[in-house]
Amino acid sequence: MEILPLVCVFLLTRCGTTSADGTGPVVINMVVNEENDAILPCSLGTRSIKRELFDWKKDGHKEVFMYDKGSHYNKDRTGQDEQFKGRVFHFPEHLESGNASIVIRHTKVTDSGNYTCDFPFHLPNRRSHIVLVVGAAQEPSVTNLDQTSDWALLRCVVRGASPKPRVQWQDRAGNIVPAEKPQVSERGGIYDIVLNTTVTKTDHYRCVSTQDEINHQTHAEIFVHFNGAAPKPSITTLGETKDGVQLQCEVHGASPKPRVQWQDRDGNIVPAEEPQVSERRGSYDIVLQTTVTKTDYYRCVSTQDEINHQTHAETYVPVHGRRKPPTRRHRFRSQTQQERSRRQHVDSLKSRRRDRDSNVHWSQKEDDAPASPSSTTENKTTTCDL
C-alpha cells in the first residue's frame, strides 16, 4: 500500500516508518503537539475510490471515520465514536486519486493510540497502520518555598504533560542536583509531577522536563542567593627569605566561590602560588600566598562575579631595608615645607641686600659733607662692611 508521508511535514508533525515483521503492513509513527491537527495517511494507489468503502478505527474497536460510496459520518451515517464527532474529516477532492487520508482537528492527549485504515472489500485486503502520539508539554513552574542563611527549598511543578516526562533539577553548569522522590499523579494519560530539592549555595537552578517519546524538552530557571558575600580578606607577612618577602591572604566563609588575586599598588596582578581551597556546604575558605621582591603597597582582592561583589585588604612591604615611601599626603606636606623654606631664604637675602644698600647710601652722604676742624683727618675715610 502506498503511504503519504509528506502530509506529516505540512502539519508540523514528526513521522517515521517501521515494520513489525517482513510481511506485515508498514507502521507509521507520528507525533503531534496537543491542539495541533494530525493527518493520518492512507491510499489505495492512484485509482479512484469514490465507489469504495474504507474504515478508520482506533485501538481496534473505536469508530473514527467510515466512508462508503459517498456516505460517511459527517453526512448521513451513524456509529462514530463520541470522541471523534465533528473533529475528523476526509479529503473529498482527493478520492479520485485514491487518497483515503483523514485529518483529526485539535488533537487531544486522549487521541494517542493505534489507528488502522481498512479496505475490507478489496482483494487482497489493504490496511495502513499509524501509531499516533499526541504530546502535551507545559513549561515547568519553579518556586522558592523556604530559605535560611544555609539552605533553600525549591519546588518544580509540571502539569498536564503527556507522555510522562522525566523531571530533573540542574545547576547552571548542567550538573544534576539531588532531589526528593517525585510526586506523580496521572489522569487519562496526563501527568502532573512535583519535584522538590534543597540547595545550599548561590547559583542559577533550572527544572528540566524531558519527553523522549516526542523529542521535547523545556525548562524553567530560578536564581538563589545566600548572604555569603566574602568578608574583607586578612593579610599576614610570613617573613623574608632570600627570594623576597612572603605574604599570605586568607578569605573565609565566602559564597559563591570568590576569585582571589594579589595586586601591586598600580593594580598589576602579582604572580602567586596555587590557591588552597576548602569547601563546606557551599561556603569556601581560600588561602593564597605570594613572594614579593620590591618595596611597595600590595593588596589581596576577592571578587565574586555572580553577586557583583569585590573587597580587598592592603599592606605595605619594605624589602631589603628600604624606607617607607611617603604617602601622597606626606609628599604634599613635604613639598609645602620646602616651598616655605625657599621663600624664607629668598626674603632673608632681599632683607640683607636692602640693609647693604642703605649703608652705602649713608656713607656717600658723609663723604660729601664739609669736615669739621676737629675731625678732618678721621672722617676722610669711611669703611663699609658689605
Side-chain angles (χ1 to χ4, degrees), residues 148-163:
T148 69
S149 60
D150 299 321
W151 54 263
L153 177 61
L154 307 181
R155 167 167 289 181
C156 172
V157 179
V158 179
R159 299 193 184 279
S162 180

Side-chain angles (χ1 to χ4, degrees), residues 68 71 99 152 196 241 265 303 329:
D68 185 10
S71 175
N99 188 350
N196 294 338
T241 68
R265 180 168 50 182
T303 305
R329 181 178 180 183

Side-chain angles (χ1 to χ4, degrees), residues 3 10 41 153 179 181 198 310:
I3 307 300
F10 298 147
L153 177 61
K181 185 177 180 180
T198 300
Q310 186 178 88

Side-chain angles (χ1 to χ4, degrees), residues 19-139:
S19 181
D21 53 53
T23 60
V26 174
V27 178
I28 302 176
N29 297 292
M30 297 181 57
V31 177
V32 62
N33 291 329
E34 190 175 32
E35 292 300 323
N36 285 347
D37 297 345
I39 294 181
L40 309 187
C42 181
S43 177
L44 195 60
T46 59
R47 75 177 202 177
S48 174
I49 56 173
K50 284 187 174 182
R51 307 303 296 171
E52 296 281 352
L53 182 149
F54 59 89
D55 187 18
W56 280 93
K57 291 185 178 181
K58 178 179 181 290
D59 299 329
H61 64 279
K62 285 188 176 183
E63 281 292 336
V64 179
F65 186 84
M66 178 181 286
Y67 175 91
D68 185 10
K69 301 175 183 177
S71 175
H72 52 83
Y73 287 143
N74 294 327
K75 188 176 182 182
D76 53 9
R77 197 172 190 89
T78 61
Q80 187 179 31
D81 193 279
E82 289 291 333
Q83 177 181 346
F84 299 102
K85 284 186 175 180
R87 298 174 50 233
V88 181
F89 304 90
H90 70 307
F91 300 91
E93 66 277 14
H94 293 158
L95 294 176
E96 193 67 39
S97 58
N99 188 350
S101 302
I102 60 172
V103 57
I104 303 176
R105 303 290 188 191
H106 307 295
T107 56
K108 304 176 182 178
V109 171
T110 52
D111 292 335
S112 299
N114 293 280
Y115 290 79
T116 56
C117 171
D118 283 312
F119 289 85
F121 299 125
H122 188 278
L123 295 177
N125 182 265
R126 295 294 185 91
R127 164 178 288 193
S128 64
H129 185 189
I130 294 95
V131 177
L132 177 64
V133 177
V134 179
Q138 300 289 334
E139 181 177 308

Side-chain angles (χ1 to χ4, degrees), residues 190-227:
I190 300 178
Y191 292 85
D192 294 340
I193 299 178
V194 178
L195 185 65
N196 294 338
T197 187
T198 300
V199 297
T200 57
K201 64 179 182 178
T202 297
D203 204 347
H204 292 265
Y205 295 91
R206 60 172 56 184
C207 177
V208 183
S209 174
T210 305
Q211 294 165 292
D212 296 315
E213 296 88 338
I214 60 175
N215 193 30
H216 184 270
Q217 186 178 88
T218 184
H219 73 274
E221 189 170 286
I222 189 172
F223 176 69
V224 180
H225 170 63
F226 293 95
N227 294 323

Side-chain angles (χ1 to χ4, degrees), residues 78-351:
T78 61
Q80 187 179 31
D81 193 279
E82 289 291 333
Q83 177 181 346
F84 299 102
K85 284 186 175 180
R87 298 174 50 233
V88 181
F89 304 90
H90 70 307
F91 300 91
E93 66 277 14
H94 293 158
L95 294 176
E96 193 67 39
S97 58
N99 188 350
S101 302
I102 60 172
V103 57
I104 303 176
R105 303 290 188 191
H106 307 295
T107 56
K108 304 176 182 178
V109 171
T110 52
D111 292 335
S112 299
N114 293 280
Y115 290 79
T116 56
C117 171
D118 283 312
F119 289 85
F121 299 125
H122 188 278
L123 295 177
N125 182 265
R126 295 294 185 91
R127 164 178 288 193
S128 64
H129 185 189
I130 294 95
V131 177
L132 177 64
V133 177
V134 179
Q138 300 289 334
E139 181 177 308
S141 63
V142 291
T143 309
N144 189 338
L145 294 180
D146 192 14
Q147 182 171 346
T148 69
S149 60
D150 299 321
W151 54 263
L153 177 61
L154 307 181
R155 167 167 289 181
C156 172
V157 179
V158 179
R159 299 193 184 279
S162 180
K164 182 181 178 180
R166 172 168 44 89
V167 182
Q168 292 177 326
W169 277 102
Q170 297 179 2
D171 60 18
R172 182 170 52 178
N175 302 310
I176 297 176
V177 177
E180 301 175 6
K181 185 177 180 180
Q183 307 168 33
V184 182
S185 59
E186 183 268 343
R187 183 179 180 183
I190 300 178
Y191 292 85
D192 294 340
I193 299 178
V194 178
L195 185 65
N196 294 338
T197 187
T198 300
V199 297
T200 57
K201 64 179 182 178
T202 297
D203 204 347
H204 292 265
Y205 295 91
R206 60 172 56 184
C207 177
V208 183
S209 174
T210 305
Q211 294 165 292
D212 296 315
E213 296 88 338
I214 60 175
N215 193 30
H216 184 270
Q217 186 178 88
T218 184
H219 73 274
E221 189 170 286
I222 189 172
F223 176 69
V224 180
H225 170 63
F226 293 95
N227 294 323
K232 186 175 182 179
S234 62
I235 296 177
T236 305
T237 302
L238 299 180
E240 187 169 1
T241 68
K242 62 179 182 178
D243 298 322
V245 178
Q246 290 183 316
L247 303 178
Q248 177 169 290
C249 173
E250 298 181 40
V251 178
H252 293 284
S255 178
K257 182 180 177 180
R259 172 167 45 87
V260 183
Q261 292 177 325
W262 278 102
Q263 297 179 2
D264 61 17
R265 180 168 50 182
D266 295 328
N268 302 311
I269 296 177
V270 177
E273 300 178 7
E274 188 72 20
Q276 306 169 33
V277 182
S278 59
E279 184 266 345
R280 183 180 180 185
R281 299 187 67 183
S283 181
Y284 291 86
D285 296 338
I286 298 179
V287 178
L288 185 63
Q289 295 182 357
T290 188
T291 300
V292 297
T293 57
K294 64 179 182 179
T295 299
D296 203 348
Y297 286 91
Y298 294 91
R299 60 173 56 183
C300 177
V301 183
S302 173
T303 305
Q304 294 166 292
D305 296 316
E306 295 90 338
I307 60 175
N308 195 29
H309 180 267
Q310 186 178 88
T311 184
H312 73 274
E314 187 174 278
T315 186
Y316 170 75
V317 180
V319 180
H320 302 311
R322 296 181 182 179
R323 295 172 57 187
K324 181 175 180 180
T327 63
R328 182 178 180 183
R329 181 178 180 183
H330 290 163
R331 289 198 301 269
F332 178 76
R333 182 179 301 169
S334 177
Q335 292 174 357
T336 303
Q337 291 174 347
Q338 292 176 1
E339 180 68 19
R340 185 182 298 114
S341 298
R342 189 182 67 82
R343 290 179 179 176
Q344 290 175 351
H345 179 66
V346 171
D347 291 343
S348 176
L349 291 177
K350 290 181 178 179
S351 176

